[in-house]
Amino acid sequence: MTVLVMRLAAPLQSWGVASRFARRETQQYPSKSGILGLIAAAQGRRRTDPIEEALQGLAFGVRIDQPGRLVRDFQVALSIDKRQQFPLSQRYYLADAVFLAAVAGERQLVEGIREALRRPEFPLYLGRRSCPVTEPLVVGDLLEQSLDNALNDTDWQAARWYRRTQHTRVRLPIYRDLLEGDPDGQLRERVRDMPLSFDPVRREYGWRTVVEDFTTVTNPDGRNGHQPLAALGGE
């Protein structure tokens, strides 16, 4: 299995999976639909184009390296002639967050995705158009290992200022697709963020099983002394 690792970092990100009407929420980590949409945009696909099974079949996972903070933005929209005001909307974002995202699949497919991300056909956003990607997006070379090993072994991507606020050992949450051979005892949940269609007329999403895991990293910039694991899901 070939793995491509991405660093998702920007002043603002928003990964909504259950937004409705005037309230647009974000979950705490990137969605599979959001990342496949980013890849499709890099490849030059339009929203009305069908989503290939090869893209849907990519194994996907996210590690929360820097959780950021939740911010809320109030927006008011006017009609073109400025005579009609639409309802006030609330939009939620993650500020100063950093995620490590990984996709895994057949090597030729993953190589093509890497090249597309380096030379995208359309601008790339982290969930919404107001959240452009911060470079570098692609982390290192392609990896010939399992998805879970890549999420566990890749270097911590948090900003140095954030590292200085944490302890000497930090526990990083991981959310990834259920993989063949995963033990039954792992914590799992069902999430509806598998894209079936991006067509604005009929957006459609399916369910996938997500495994909750974690890895622990050593933080040389952390606070000295005997400390518990950091509060990123730590003890």
Coordinates of all heavy atoms in Angstrom, one line a residue, residues 8 12-19 25-36 38 92-94 97 99 125-128:
L8 N -2.3 19.8 6.7 CA -3.4 20.8 6.5 C -3.3 21.9 7.6 O -3.6 21.6 8.8 CB -4.7 20.0 6.7 CG -4.9 18.8 5.8 CD1 -6.2 18.1 6.0 CD2 -4.7 19.1 4.3
L12 N -7.6 29.6 9.0 CA -9.0 29.0 9.2 C -9.2 27.8 8.4 O -8.7 27.7 7.3 CB -10.0 30.1 8.9 CG -10.1 31.3 9.7 CD1 -11.2 32.3 9.1 CD2 -10.5 31.1 11.1
Q13 N -9.9 26.8 9.0 CA -10.4 25.6 8.4 C -11.8 25.4 8.8 O -12.2 25.8 9.9 CB -9.6 24.4 8.7 CG -8.1 24.6 8.4 CD -7.3 23.3 8.7 OE1 -7.7 22.2 8.4 NE2 -6.1 23.5 9.3
S14 N -12.6 24.7 8.0 CA -14.0 24.3 8.4 C -14.4 23.0 7.7 O -14.3 23.0 6.4 CB -15.0 25.4 8.0 OG -16.2 25.2 8.6
W15 N -14.7 22.0 8.4 CA -15.0 20.7 7.9 C -16.4 20.3 8.3 O -16.6 19.5 9.3 CB -14.0 19.7 8.4 CG -12.6 20.2 8.0 CD1 -11.7 20.8 8.9 CD2 -11.9 20.0 6.8 NE1 -10.5 21.0 8.2 CE2 -10.6 20.6 6.9 CE3 -12.3 19.5 5.5 CZ2 -9.7 20.6 5.9 CZ3 -11.4 19.5 4.5 CH2 -10.1 20.1 4.7
G16 N -17.4 20.8 7.7 CA -18.8 20.5 8.0 C -19.3 19.2 7.4 O -19.0 18.9 6.3
V17 N -20.0 18.4 8.3 CA -20.6 17.2 7.8 C -22.1 17.2 8.1 O -22.8 16.3 7.6 CB -19.9 16.0 8.4 CG1 -18.5 15.8 7.9 CG2 -20.0 16.0 9.9
A18 N -22.6 18.2 8.9 CA -24.0 18.2 9.3 C -24.6 19.6 9.3 O -25.4 19.9 10.1 CB -24.2 17.5 10.7
S19 N -24.1 20.5 8.4 CA -24.5 21.8 8.4 C -25.9 21.9 7.8 O -26.2 21.3 6.8 CB -23.5 22.7 7.6 OG -22.3 22.7 8.2
E25 N -21.8 24.4 10.8 CA -20.8 23.9 11.8 C -19.6 23.3 11.2 O -19.5 23.1 10.0 CB -21.5 22.9 12.7 CG -22.7 23.6 13.4 CD -23.4 22.6 14.4 OE1 -23.1 21.4 14.3 OE2 -24.3 23.0 15.2
T26 N -18.6 23.0 12.1 CA -17.4 22.3 11.7 C -17.2 21.2 12.7 O -17.4 21.4 13.9 CB -16.2 23.2 11.6 OG1 -15.1 22.4 11.2 CG2 -15.9 23.9 12.9
Q27 N -16.7 20.0 12.2 CA -16.3 19.0 13.2 C -14.8 19.2 13.5 O -14.1 20.1 13.0 CB -16.5 17.6 12.6 CG -15.6 17.2 11.5 CD -15.9 15.8 11.0 OE1 -16.9 15.2 11.4 NE2 -15.0 15.2 10.2
Q28 N -14.3 18.5 14.5 CA -13.0 18.8 15.1 C -11.8 18.3 14.2 O -10.7 18.6 14.5 CB -12.8 18.1 16.4 CG -12.9 16.6 16.4 CD -12.7 16.0 17.8 OE1 -11.8 16.4 18.5 NE2 -13.5 15.0 18.1
Y29 N -12.1 17.6 13.1 CA -11.0 17.1 12.2 C -11.6 17.0 10.8 O -12.8 16.9 10.6 CB -10.5 15.7 12.7 CG -11.5 14.6 12.7 CD1 -11.8 13.8 11.6 CD2 -12.3 14.4 13.9 CE1 -12.7 12.8 11.7 CE2 -13.2 13.4 13.9 CZ -13.4 12.6 12.8 OH -14.4 11.6 12.8
P30 N -10.7 17.0 9.8 CA -11.1 17.0 8.4 C -11.9 15.8 8.0 O -11.7 14.6 8.5 CB -9.8 17.0 7.6 CG -8.8 17.7 8.5 CD -9.2 17.2 9.9
S31 N -12.9 16.0 7.2 CA -13.8 14.9 6.7 C -13.2 14.2 5.5 O -12.4 14.8 4.7 CB -15.2 15.4 6.4 OG -15.1 16.4 5.3
K32 N -13.6 13.0 5.2 CA -13.2 12.3 4.0 C -13.7 13.0 2.8 O -13.1 13.1 1.8 CB -13.6 10.8 4.1 CG -13.0 10.0 2.9 CD -13.1 8.5 3.1 CE -12.4 7.7 2.1 NZ -12.4 6.3 2.3
S33 N -15.0 13.4 2.9 CA -15.6 14.1 1.7 C -14.8 15.4 1.4 O -14.6 15.7 0.2 CB -17.0 14.4 2.0 OG -17.2 15.3 3.1
G34 N -14.3 16.1 2.5 CA -13.6 17.3 2.2 C -12.2 17.1 1.6 O -11.8 17.8 0.6
I35 N -11.5 16.0 2.0 CA -10.2 15.7 1.4 C -10.4 15.2 0.0 O -9.6 15.5 -0.9 CB -9.5 14.7 2.3 CG1 -9.2 15.4 3.7 CG2 -8.1 14.3 1.7 CD1 -8.5 16.7 3.6
L36 N -11.4 14.3 -0.2 CA -11.6 13.8 -1.6 C -12.0 15.0 -2.5 O -11.7 15.0 -3.7 CB -12.6 12.7 -1.6 CG -12.2 11.4 -1.0 CD1 -13.2 10.3 -1.2 CD2 -10.8 10.9 -1.4
L38 N -11.0 18.1 -2.2 CA -9.7 18.8 -2.4 C -8.9 18.1 -3.5 O -8.4 18.8 -4.4 CB -8.9 18.9 -1.1 CG -7.6 19.7 -1.1 CD1 -7.4 20.4 0.2 CD2 -6.4 18.7 -1.3
Y92 N -19.0 28.4 11.6 CA -18.0 28.0 12.5 C -16.7 27.6 11.8 O -16.8 26.9 10.8 CB -18.5 26.9 13.4 CG -19.6 27.4 14.4 CD1 -20.9 27.5 14.0 CD2 -19.3 27.7 15.7 CE1 -21.9 27.9 14.8 CE2 -20.3 28.2 16.6 CZ -21.6 28.3 16.1 OH -22.6 28.7 16.9
Y93 N -15.6 27.9 12.4 CA -14.3 27.6 11.8 C -13.3 27.1 13.0 O -13.5 27.4 14.2 CB -13.6 28.8 11.2 CG -14.4 29.4 10.1 CD1 -15.4 30.4 10.3 CD2 -14.2 29.1 8.7 CE1 -16.2 30.9 9.2 CE2 -14.9 29.6 7.7 CZ -15.9 30.5 7.9 OH -16.6 31.1 6.9
L94 N -12.3 26.4 12.5 CA -11.2 26.1 13.4 C -10.0 27.0 13.1 O -9.6 27.1 12.0 CB -10.7 24.6 13.2 CG -11.8 23.6 13.6 CD1 -11.3 22.2 13.2 CD2 -12.1 23.6 15.1
A97 N -5.4 25.6 13.4 CA -5.4 24.2 13.6 C -4.4 23.6 12.6 O -4.1 24.2 11.5 CB -6.7 23.5 13.4
F99 N -3.5 19.7 11.0 CA -3.8 18.2 10.9 C -2.8 17.5 10.0 O -2.3 18.1 9.0 CB -5.2 18.1 10.3 CG -6.3 18.8 11.1 CD1 -6.8 20.0 10.7 CD2 -6.7 18.2 12.3 CE1 -7.8 20.6 11.4 CE2 -7.7 18.8 13.1 CZ -8.2 20.0 12.6
Y125 N -8.9 24.5 -1.1 CA -9.4 25.1 0.1 C -9.5 24.0 1.2 O -9.7 22.8 0.9 CB -10.8 25.7 -0.1 CG -10.8 26.7 -1.3 CD1 -11.4 26.3 -2.5 CD2 -10.3 28.0 -1.1 CE1 -11.4 27.2 -3.6 CE2 -10.3 28.9 -2.2 CZ -10.9 28.5 -3.4 OH -10.9 29.4 -4.5
L126 N -9.5 24.4 2.4 CA -9.6 23.5 3.5 C -11.0 23.6 4.1 O -11.3 24.1 5.1 CB -8.6 23.8 4.6 CG -7.1 23.8 4.2 CD1 -6.2 24.1 5.4 CD2 -6.8 22.4 3.6
G127 N -11.9 23.0 3.3 CA -13.3 22.9 3.7 C -14.2 24.0 3.0 O -15.3 23.6 2.5
R128 N -13.8 25.3 3.0 CA -14.6 26.3 2.5 C -13.7 27.3 1.6 O -12.5 27.3 1.8 CB -15.3 27.2 3.6 CG -16.4 26.4 4.3 CD -17.3 27.3 5.1 NE -18.3 26.5 5.9 CZ -18.4 26.7 7.2 NH1 -17.7 27.7 7.8 NH2 -19.3 26.0 7.9

